[in-house]
C-alpha cells in the first residue's frame, strides 16, 4: 500500500484506464450477464451502504428484500407463507436474496442435507444427490464443501436429463435430485415434471436450478412448467443478475416450505435479529433495491419484451447459420445456441483473434456456444454471421 493517499483525480484516471481493458459487453456472445438496467443501477447507488446481514438496522432494505422474494414467489407460483414466526428471521416468505446461482445451489443442498439428517432419513454412508451431467460447476463446490457425493445422470439426445438414468442412481443414501431449467451450455430445460414424480415417489427433495432460465421461461411464448406449480419441486434458484437485468451480485433462493429456512438457521446472539439463515453474513442491500426497482419498472410486460428481443436474435442466428450449413445441436429453447461447426475450438480462437468476438464452446459434444443477451444488437448478429463465414472459409 502507498504511504500517502493519492488524489481522487489520479485514482480515477487510473480506474478509467483499467476499465478500458474490460469488454463492456461489446462483441460478447458468451456471457449470461449483461448491462444492468439503469433503474437498477440508480437504486443500487441509493442503498449502497445497506447491509442485509443486520436486518434490524436496515429495515428499509429488508422490506425491499421481502418484496422481491414475494414478487419472485408469485412469478414461480409459490404459495405465500403465513407462518408468523418467519418475521423473526426478517422474512415472511420462504427465501432470501443470495449472491447468485452458486450460493443458491449450495444452500439448497445444505437445506436438503440438514433436513435429511434431522431424522427424515437414516443415512448409513455419505449422502448423495443426483444431478444432470449438464449441471453447472457450482455443484462441484457443493460436493467439496459439504462432503456430499454427486451422482451425474446421463442426458438424452436433446440434452435433457434422462430420468431412467436418474432413477438408476437413486439409493438409500440419496437425499435429493436436481433439475435444470435452462442449462448453462445448451439452454435446455430438464423434464421437471418427471423428476418431481421421481422425487415424490422416493421421498426426495427436488431443487430446480433456474439461475438463468428463471427470468426467461415465464416470458416465453409457450412456457413449459418448471416451478412450484409442479408438486414435488422443493426449491428454486433464480438469478436477477442474469436475465433479470439487476446488478451483480443478485441471486435468489426460494423454498416451497418454511422448514427449509429453519434447517439453515444459525443463532446470531448479538445482532438485531435472533437468527440468520443465509450463507454469507454481511449482504448487499443495494442488490435488493436494484432488483426491486428493475422488477417493478419492467413488470411482466418489460421482461416479456426483453425475452422476445433475445429470442429474435437467437432465431436469426440459427436461421442464417443454417444457410451456410451449420445446424444447431437442438432447436433453441431459450437464448442459448449450440452450433455444430467444424473445429469449434479453432473457430473460437479465430473469431476472437481476428474479429474480437467472445464465444464459448460446449464440452460434449464440442460446439460453438452463443448466448444472445440484451446487450447484443441485430447489427452485431449480422456482423457476427459475416465474420463466421469468413473464418469458415479460411479454415
Ligand atoms: N446455475 C446455472 C444454470 C448457471 O448457468 C450458472 C452460471 C450458475 C448456476 C452459477 O451462477 P453464479 O455464477 O451467479 O454463481 N452460469 C454462467 C457460467 O458459469 C455464469 C456466467 C456469467 C459466465 C457471465 C460467464 C459470464 O461472462 O457459465
Amino acid at each position: 500500500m502507498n504511504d500517502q493517499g493519492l488524489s481522487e483525480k489520479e485514482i480515477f484516471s487510473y480506474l478509467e484506464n483499467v476499465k478500458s481493458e474490460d469488454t463492456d459487453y461489446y462483441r460478447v456472445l458468451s456471457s449470461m450477464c449483461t448491462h444492468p438496467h439503469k433503474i437498477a443501477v440508480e437504486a443500487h447507488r441509493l442503498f449502497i451502504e445497506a447491509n442485509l446481514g443486520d436486518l434490524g438496522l436496515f429495515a428499509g432494505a429488508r422490506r425491499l428484500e421481502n418484496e422481491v422474494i414475494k414478487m419472485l414467489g408469485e412469478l414461480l407460483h409459490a404459495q405465500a407463507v403465513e407462518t408468523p414466526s418467519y418475521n423473526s428471521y426478517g422474512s415472511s416468505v420462504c427465501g432470501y436474496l443470495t449472491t447468485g446461482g452458486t450460493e443458491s445451489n449450495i444452500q439448497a443442498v445444505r437445506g436438503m442435507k440438514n433436513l435429511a439428517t434431522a431424522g427424515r432419513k437414516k443415512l448409513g454412508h455419505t449422502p448423495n444427490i443426483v444431478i444432470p451431467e449438464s449441471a453447472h460447476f457450482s455443484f462441484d463446490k457443493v460436493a467439496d464443501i459439504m462432503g456430499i457425493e454427486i451422482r451425474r445422470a446421463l442426458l438424452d439426445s436433446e440434452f435433457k436429463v434422462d430420468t431412467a438414468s436418474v432413477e438408476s442412481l437413486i439409493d438409500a443414501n440419496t437425499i435429493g435430485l436436481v433439475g435444470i431449467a435452462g442449462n448453462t451450455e445448451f439452454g435446455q430445460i430438464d423434464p421437471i415434471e418427471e423428476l418431481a414424480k421421481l422425487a415424490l415417489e422416493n421421498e426426495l427433495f427436488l431443487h430446480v436450478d433456474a439461475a438463468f432460465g428463471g427470468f426467461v421461461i415465464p416470458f416465453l411464448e409457450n412456457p413449459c412448467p418448471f416451478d412450484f406449480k409442479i408438486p414435488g419441486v422443493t426449491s428454486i434458484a433464480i438469478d436477477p443478475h442474469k436475465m433479470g437485468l439487476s446488478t451483480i451480485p443478485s441471486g435468489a433462493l426460494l423454498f416451497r416450505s418454511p422448514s427449509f429456512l429453519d434447517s439453515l438457521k444459525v443463532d446470531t446472539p448479538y445482532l438485531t435479529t435472533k437468527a440468520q439463515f443465509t450463507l454469507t453474513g454481511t449482504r448487499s442491500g443495494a442488490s435488493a433495491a436494484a432488483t426491486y426497482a428493475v422488477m417493478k419498472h419492467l413488470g411482466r410486460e418489460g421482461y416479456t419484451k426483453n425475452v422476445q428481443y433475445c429470442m429474435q436474435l437467437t432465431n436469426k442466428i440459427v436461421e442464417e447459420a443454417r444457410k451456410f450449413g451449420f445446424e444447431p445441436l437442438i432447436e433453441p429453447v431459450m437464448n442459448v445456441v449450440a452450433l455444430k461447426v467444424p473445429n469449434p475450438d479453432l473457430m473460437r480462437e479465430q473469431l476472437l483473434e481476428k474479429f474480437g468476438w467472445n464465444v464459448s464452446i460446449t464440452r460434449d459434444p464440442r460446439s460453438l456456444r452463443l448466448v444472445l443477451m440484451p446487450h447484443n444488437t441485430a447489427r452485431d448478429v449480422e456482423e457476427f454471421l459475416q465474420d463466421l463465414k469468413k473464418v469458415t472459409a479460411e479454415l
Side-chain angles (χ1 to χ4, degrees):
M1 192 189 283
N2 38 295
D3 282 339
Q4 279 168 357
L6 300 180
S7 71
E8 204 175 313
K9 200 171 154 214
E10 280 171 300
I11 289 168
F12 276 91
S13 110
Y14 178 71
L15 290 184
E16 266 153 39
N17 247 328
V18 171
K19 191 160 163 59
S20 68
E21 294 171 24
D22 287 356
T23 61
D24 197 26
Y25 290 115
Y26 177 63
R27 295 205 160 185
V28 172
L29 292 168
S30 58
S31 177
M32 291 186 141
C33 291
T34 189
H35 294 291
H37 195 286
K38 69 179 195 312
I39 295 266
V41 176
E42 283 305 303
H44 192 106
R45 280 204 188 105
L46 191 63
F47 278 78
I48 198 72
E49 72 288 337
N51 172 16
L52 286 171
D54 201 355
L55 294 166
L57 295 185
F58 297 98
R62 166 190 185 167
R63 184 195 297 277
L64 295 178
E65 177 179 34
N66 284 346
E67 294 273 344
V68 170
I69 293 296
K70 220 155 117 193
M71 285 192 277
L72 291 174
E74 276 164 25
L75 183 70
L76 301 174
H77 302 98
Q79 303 284 321
V81 173
E82 305 293 343
T83 323
S85 68
Y86 263 76
N87 295 329
S88 64
Y89 313 148
S91 178
S92 61
V93 271
C94 278
Y96 78 95
L97 296 184
T98 66
T99 49
T102 301
E103 180 182 341
S104 301
N105 289 340
I106 290 172
Q107 285 281 84
V109 179
R110 189 178 148 224
M112 288 180 189
K113 189 183 174 190
N114 289 351
L115 285 174
T117 47
R120 206 183 63 89
K121 268 197 150 206
K122 284 201 179 69
L123 298 164
H125 301 280
T126 311
N128 68 67
I129 58 170
V130 182
I131 69 172
E133 238 177 19
S134 53
H136 185 255
F137 52 76
S138 44
F139 288 97
D140 295 331
K141 301 180 186 176
V142 167
D144 204 23
I145 295 169
M146 273 180 284
I148 281 185
E149 183 196 342
I150 303 288
R151 298 185 170 180
R152 292 169 206 278
L154 301 174
L155 306 184
D156 66 15
S157 59
E158 296 229 281
F159 304 97
K160 295 180 190 182
V161 75
D162 175 6
T163 44
S165 172
V166 172
E167 193 167 11
S168 72
L169 293 171
I170 296 172
D171 68 10
N173 295 309
T174 305
I175 57 171
L177 309 179
V178 172
I180 312 174
N183 61 35
T184 312
E185 289 176 286
F186 311 102
Q188 182 58 281
I189 306 169
D190 287 325
I192 306 296
E193 279 171 313
E194 288 174 43
L195 287 175
K197 215 168 138 244
L198 269 184
L200 289 172
E201 278 166 12
N202 292 280
E203 294 184 39
L204 301 171
F205 301 110
L206 173 59
H207 173 62
V208 175
D209 180 352
F212 186 72
F215 272 97
V216 180
I217 303 164
F219 308 110
L220 289 171
E221 239 168 76
N222 293 308
C224 74
F226 74 103
D227 62 20
F228 292 117
K229 216 178 201 173
I230 304 173
V233 171
T234 43
S235 56
I236 301 180
I238 174 171
D239 280 359
H241 70 203
K242 295 191 169 78
M243 284 291 282
L245 308 181
S246 188
T247 53
I248 296 171
S250 295
L253 175 62
L254 277 87
F255 294 116
R256 179 184 289 279
S257 135
S259 59
F260 265 95
L261 272 185
D262 273 330
S263 79
L264 296 173
K265 190 177 97 170
V266 296
D267 293 336
T268 52
Y270 55 84
L271 291 188
T272 48
T273 44
K274 292 193 190 74
Q276 215 176 61
F277 44 78
T278 53
L279 185 62
T280 63
T282 301
R283 284 191 302 137
S284 166
S287 293
T291 304
Y292 174 85
V294 65
M295 285 188 74
K296 280 284 177 195
H297 181 69
L298 291 179
R300 282 180 190 270
E301 187 188 32
Y303 282 117
T304 304
K305 280 190 185 148
N306 186 48
V307 168
Q308 274 171 352
Y309 174 79
C310 296
M311 288 312 292
Q312 270 162 16
L313 297 183
T314 305
N315 294 334
K316 175 83 182 162
I317 281 224
V318 171
E319 197 184 299
E320 294 299 318
R322 269 199 166 113
K323 287 186 191 158
F324 43 101
F326 298 158
E327 285 293 318
L329 279 176
I330 51 164
E331 281 308 317
V333 177
M334 50 188 76
N335 44 330
V336 181
V337 182
L339 280 182
K340 286 189 261 184
V341 298
N343 209 337
D345 293 271
L346 189 59
M347 205 173 254
R348 174 197 195 180
E349 226 175 84
Q350 306 241 319
L351 281 165
L352 182 63
E353 266 172 30
K354 295 197 168 139
F355 303 105
W357 291 105
N358 284 278
V359 298
S360 54
I361 303 286
T362 58
R363 285 170 296 182
D364 184 22
R366 295 190 84 70
S367 71
L368 205 62
R369 171 181 174 267
L370 311 169
V371 189
L372 284 304
M373 293 295 287
H375 57 255
N376 301 124
T377 63
R379 189 170 164 184
D380 286 344
V381 166
E382 268 167 36
E383 289 174 1
F384 173 76
L385 286 161
Q386 281 163 18
D387 296 341
L388 185 66
K389 223 179 218 168
K390 285 182 210 155
V391 165
T392 310
E394 281 172 29
L395 278 180

